[in-house]
């Protein structure tokens, strides 16, 4: 009987960012393969842990730390030297002992700590890279060197990410596997279920989705709405889907909307998984405000609903928007330029083709993504 191949995925957080949602969908699908054993090691537990299939083994560093902190971090031998090399190192040692033949797959640059252990023990390592160059602001030089030298293969979610990594001149090979979120059956279902772009509603609804972090740039979203209000151009409604109500930025934005008398035209809606697509389907246009974005899944969400995409060259958007019938990539973020484009859309001088948008989203279909990802893991 052929033994199963073990894939050990690492992720720092297990919340509702794009890379974490994609990880959850990927491992749940891979776990259906009888020749694969799927293990996920999470550094910090999050809500998607509950969404893993029963076939997946989940190992929590949070739980390990809670049970072992006092023993490992304070254990000192008679010479006054710590016996442990640290909680993280010991956690990786436990995983290596339990899954000695596993291929390690690191889901993010943000959790580079397993790379040192993998290097020391010659463990085969694949890095699944979602981040653009802006992410290196949060890394030190040692982390960058580990990222550059340890992985044998880098699976990049876009050519934009690949180009970023090429600047490091990495030792491993670089490949691109575009993400896919929805199956063809789901895309066909959306076509019937969601009826967006009602031309009789009298205004243009502009949506963005994502966490409320500086890179996603929710302040631009708010400032654009203020600019249009001050120009007395109030045909536009703005909705942002994502973030948490206890976030400081969420509280700030809520107060700023009140202070600028924008309650009728701007809405920031906290993450609601069950209602996300329904609310997104209300939009006539998806405005990708990010400074840097590798290949945003929210862009694929919008396209799956036939919603055109407007943005700037922030990364993977230029690899998706390949003609002006599915979206527009602007030269800069100038408010006057954006206002002219929005006005042209609202007045009908600029139109899009919903069917072409849906067809384009179908080129990034989920099962095709899974097949391409599995091909990248052969040879280990």
């Amino acid at each position: 009987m052929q033994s199963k191949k073990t894939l050990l995925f690492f992720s720092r957080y297990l919340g509702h960012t794009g890379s974490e949602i994609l990880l959850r969908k990927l491992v749940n699908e891979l776990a259906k393969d009888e020749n694969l054993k799927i293990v996920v090691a999470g550094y910090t537990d999050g809500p998607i842990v509950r969404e893993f299939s029963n076939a997946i083994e989940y190992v929590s560093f949070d739980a390990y730390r809670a049970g072992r902190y006092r023993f490992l971090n304070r254990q000192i031998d008679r010479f006054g030297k710590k016996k442990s090399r640290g909680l993280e190192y010991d956690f990786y040692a436990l995983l290596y002992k339990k899954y000695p033949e596993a291929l390690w797959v690191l889901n993010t640059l943000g959790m580079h700590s397993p790379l040192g252990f993998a290097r020391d023990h010659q463990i085969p390592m694949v890095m699944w890279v979602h981040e653009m160059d802006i992410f290196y602001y949060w890394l030190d030089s040692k982390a960058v060197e580990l990222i550059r030298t340890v992985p044998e293969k880098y699976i990049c979610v876009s050519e934009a990410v690949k180009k970023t990594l090429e600047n490091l001149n990495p030792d491993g090979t670089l490949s691109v596997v575009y993400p896919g979120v929805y199956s063809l059956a789901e895309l066909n279902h959306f076509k019937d279920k969601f009826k967006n772009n009602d031309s009789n509603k009298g205004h243009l609804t502009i949506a963005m989705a994502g966490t409320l972090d500086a890179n996603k740039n929710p302040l631009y979203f708010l400032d654009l709405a203020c600019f249009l209000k001050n120009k007395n151009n109030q045909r536009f409604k703005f909705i942002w889907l994502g973030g948490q109500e206890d976030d400081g930025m969420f509280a700030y934005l809520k107060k700023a909307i009140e202070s600028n008398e924008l309650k009728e035209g701007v809405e920031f809606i906290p993450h609601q998984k069950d209602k996300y697509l329904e609310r997104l389907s209300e939009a006539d246009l998806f405005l990708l405000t990010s400074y840097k974005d590798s290949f945003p899944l929210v862009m694929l969400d919008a396209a799956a609903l036939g919603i055109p995409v407007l943005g700037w060259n922030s990364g993977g958007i230029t690899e998706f928007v390949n003609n002006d019938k599915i979206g527009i990539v602007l030269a800069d973020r100038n408010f006057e330029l954006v206002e002219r484009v929005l006005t042209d859309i609202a007045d009908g001088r600029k139109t899009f083709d919903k069917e072409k948008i849906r067809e384009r989203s179908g080129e990034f279909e989920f099962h095709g993504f899974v097949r391409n990802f599995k091909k990248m893991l052969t040879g280990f």
Side-chain angles (χ1 to χ4, degrees):
M1 182 178 177
Q2 184 180 3
S3 60
K4 290 186 175 184
K5 181 180 183 67
T6 302
L7 301 179
L8 174 55
F9 288 84
F10 290 85
S11 187
R12 176 166 288 278
Y13 303 111
L14 291 164
H16 286 110
T17 66
S19 62
E20 292 152 3
I21 292 171
L22 194 60
L23 172 67
R24 184 256 299 169
K25 290 179 69 73
L26 174 66
V27 295
N28 280 348
E29 187 66 22
L30 292 176
K32 298 175 184 178
D33 189 331
E34 295 180 352
N35 296 314
L36 295 176
K37 178 184 181 67
I38 305 300
V39 184
V40 178
Y43 193 90
T44 300
D45 295 343
I48 68 168
V49 172
R50 298 186 294 272
E51 299 168 17
F52 289 143
S53 78
N54 293 331
I56 293 171
E57 290 188 23
Y58 175 65
V59 188
S60 167
F61 178 73
D62 270 352
Y64 181 81
R65 174 172 50 193
R68 299 287 287 172
Y69 179 79
R70 291 182 180 276
F71 175 75
L72 287 174
N73 211 38
R74 298 176 183 272
Q75 188 182 27
I76 300 176
D77 66 16
R78 61 192 179 93
F79 298 106
K81 182 179 179 182
K82 287 185 179 181
K83 293 181 180 180
S84 170
R85 293 180 63 177
L87 280 171
E88 289 188 30
Y89 190 94
D90 291 325
F91 180 62
Y92 304 140
L94 180 149
L95 293 172
Y96 183 45
K97 182 178 180 180
K98 189 172 183 181
Y99 312 104
E101 303 299 323
L103 170 63
W104 287 21
V105 183
L106 197 55
N107 184 44
T108 172
L109 297 180
M111 191 180 181
H112 52 269
S113 53
L115 293 169
F117 188 94
R119 176 200 58 200
D120 295 343
H121 295 81
Q122 298 183 323
I123 299 170
M125 170 71 76
V126 171
M127 180 165 272
W128 189 13
V129 190
H130 308 261
E131 295 87 356
M132 295 288 290
D133 49 7
I134 193 172
F135 194 81
Y136 291 90
Y137 280 120
W138 292 277
L139 301 176
D140 60 27
S141 59
K142 291 181 180 179
V144 173
E145 189 62 12
L146 286 171
I147 290 167
R148 192 187 74 80
T149 59
V150 175
E152 296 180 34
K153 183 174 287 189
Y154 303 83
I155 301 177
C156 308
V157 299
S158 67
E159 290 289 344
V161 171
K162 182 182 176 184
K163 184 176 180 180
T164 293
L165 280 171
E166 285 173 344
N167 290 331
L168 294 180
N169 191 24
D171 293 344
T173 59
L174 298 170
S175 301
V176 174
V177 175
Y178 287 107
V181 182
Y182 302 110
S183 67
L184 291 177
E186 287 174 309
L187 292 172
N188 289 331
H189 175 64
F190 293 163
K191 184 176 179 180
D192 296 327
K193 181 177 180 180
F194 298 108
K195 306 294 184 182
N196 59 304
N197 296 12
D198 181 357
S199 59
N200 297 317
K201 60 188 177 185
H203 61 263
L204 192 75
T205 301
I206 301 163
M208 171 58 179
T211 54
L212 297 174
D213 61 74
N215 184 50
K216 297 294 184 187
N217 208 2
L219 292 177
Y220 181 93
F221 202 72
L222 176 68
D223 290 344
L224 176 60
C226 288
F227 172 83
L228 294 172
K229 177 179 178 291
N230 292 335
K231 293 284 292 289
N232 203 32
N233 195 344
Q234 300 185 45
R235 290 184 293 166
F236 307 107
K237 180 179 179 180
F238 292 80
I239 57 171
W240 183 296
L241 304 168
Q244 303 296 330
E245 287 188 279
D246 58 356
D247 290 345
M249 180 52 71
F250 192 95
Y252 173 83
L253 292 165
K254 185 176 179 180
K255 289 297 182 183
I257 289 170
E258 293 176 2
S259 300
N260 290 279
E261 299 180 349
L262 290 168
K263 279 189 174 182
E264 298 302 316
V266 182
E267 195 174 3
F268 282 83
I269 303 167
H271 176 75
Q272 297 174 314
K273 179 185 174 184
D274 295 337
K275 296 182 179 179
Y276 166 62
L277 288 177
E278 181 180 347
R279 291 305 308 265
L280 183 59
S281 71
E282 298 171 10
D284 304 289
L285 184 70
F286 186 82
L287 178 62
L288 185 64
T289 56
S290 305
Y291 285 111
K292 297 279 187 172
D293 225 328
S294 55
F295 200 85
L297 299 190
V298 290
M299 177 179 68
L300 295 182
D301 293 336
L305 302 175
I307 303 169
V309 178
L310 175 67
W312 302 269
N313 186 5
S314 56
I317 183 175
T318 59
E319 298 167 50
F320 181 81
V321 179
N322 59 359
N323 69 75
D324 65 0
K325 287 299 181 183
I326 65 174
I328 303 174
V329 180
L330 298 175
D332 60 56
R333 299 170 184 267
N334 180 278
F335 285 154
E336 285 81 4
L337 172 61
V338 176
E339 181 187 22
R340 289 197 298 272
V341 172
L342 294 180
T343 302
D344 285 346
I345 296 170
D347 290 343
R349 290 189 295 273
K350 172 59 188 170
T351 60
F352 302 96
D353 189 325
K354 290 173 61 176
E355 288 306 310
K356 288 188 180 298
I357 296 169
R358 294 180 190 274
E359 289 173 7
R360 181 62 173 156
S361 73
E363 295 176 29
F364 300 87
E365 185 265 345
F366 175 67
H367 291 106
F369 152 66
V370 174
R371 287 192 298 271
N372 291 333
F373 194 95
K374 289 173 73 172
K375 288 178 184 177
M376 292 296 105
L377 303 181
T378 58
F380 286 94

